[in-house]
Amino acid sequence: DTTLTQSPAFMSATPGDIVTISCKASQGIDDDVNWYQQKPGEAPVFIIEEATTLVPGVPPRFSGSGYGTEFTLTIHNMESEDAAFYFCLQHDKFPLTFGQGTKLEIK
Amino acid sequence: QVQLVESGGGVVQPGKSLRLSCAGSGFTFRNYGMHWVRQAPGQGLEWVTVISYDGDKKWYADAVKGRFTISRDNSKNTLYLQMNRLRAEDTAVYYCAKDSRSGSGGSYSYGMDVWGQGTTVTVSS
């Protein structure tokens, strides 16, 4: 199975900051990584597909990068509404696996 | 708009069974692979199972293999999860989710795009 190691587990940022979240795969998975945002009590929301493609309707301050084993979610000019949990998912092989998640809080 | 609505959650004793349902609308249900994903209290997301668009192919996480069965009725636009021999560690919110590409869920998946609001399963004596 492919393990995704996500870091940091927790971070705190100020509005206007640049935020980066890392997701490292235990084996090469091409660009088969999606990113999701989840707020408390809500279902996850799809924000990045195929490592780098912004899902329609998602603010352009969100971006994704990476290929193979290392992937990054970046939030430029962070806003208070971005406080949430963020998860990466690999869909290269079954079983699909998620990273452990990153909790992003506002300072 | 695309919508998924889960039902069937509840409190059940260890060793018992429960069946979850997920009704899809706003898209051509029979064209898409469908997933179940769960989230234990205060924890991250755990993929559980997927079924191909035509119901012919199914994949399971090791933690549920042999106990859970995914199925679908494309005539009713409904996805199911039959959960047998439930354990305390199965306690979670269970989400159904649609694969993001048509024709999926067999030999490949593109991951989930739309998720339901979830249904809570509590396994406790």
Side-chain angles (χ1 to χ4, degrees), chain A residues 9-90:
Chain A
F10 172 84
M11 66 183 306
S12 181
T14 301
D17 282 353
I18 298 174
V19 170
T20 59
I21 298 170
S22 169
C23 181
K24 294 186 179 181
S26 59
Q27 58 186 302
I29 52 174
D30 298 336
D31 60 354
D32 295 336
V33 167
N34 297 345
W35 289 93
Y36 299 86
Q37 176 194 68
Q38 186 181 31
K39 296 183 178 179
E42 299 182 6
V45 173
F46 188 29
I47 59 173
I48 298 285
E49 63 177 330
E50 304 307 293
T52 61
T53 302
L54 194 66
V55 171
V58 175
R61 62 181 180 273
F62 288 89
S63 65
S65 62
Y67 188 89
T69 61
E70 299 199 5
F71 303 88
T72 302
L73 173 69
T74 302
I75 309 173
H76 292 270
N77 195 21
M78 181 189 162
E79 297 190 7
S80 57
E81 66 185 34
D82 300 334
F85 277 96
Y86 292 87
F87 297 92
C88 54
L89 165 80
Q90 71 79 21

Side-chain angles (χ1 to χ4, degrees), chain B residues 23-72:
Chain B
S25 60
F27 67 105
T28 307
F29 184 84
R30 66 179 179 272
N31 285 356
Y32 290 86
M34 295 293 297
H35 301 260
W36 288 100
V37 177
R38 67 185 181 183
Q39 188 169 35
Q43 302 300 308
L45 298 169
E46 180 184 17
W47 177 82
V48 175
T49 180
V50 64
I51 186 168
S52 60
Y53 65 99
D54 57 4
D56 278 357
K57 200 102 163 105
K58 305 167 186 181
W59 297 84
Y60 296 93
D62 285 347
V64 306
K65 205 173 291 182
R67 299 188 300 123
F68 289 13
T69 302
I70 190 171
S71 62
R72 65 190 297 161

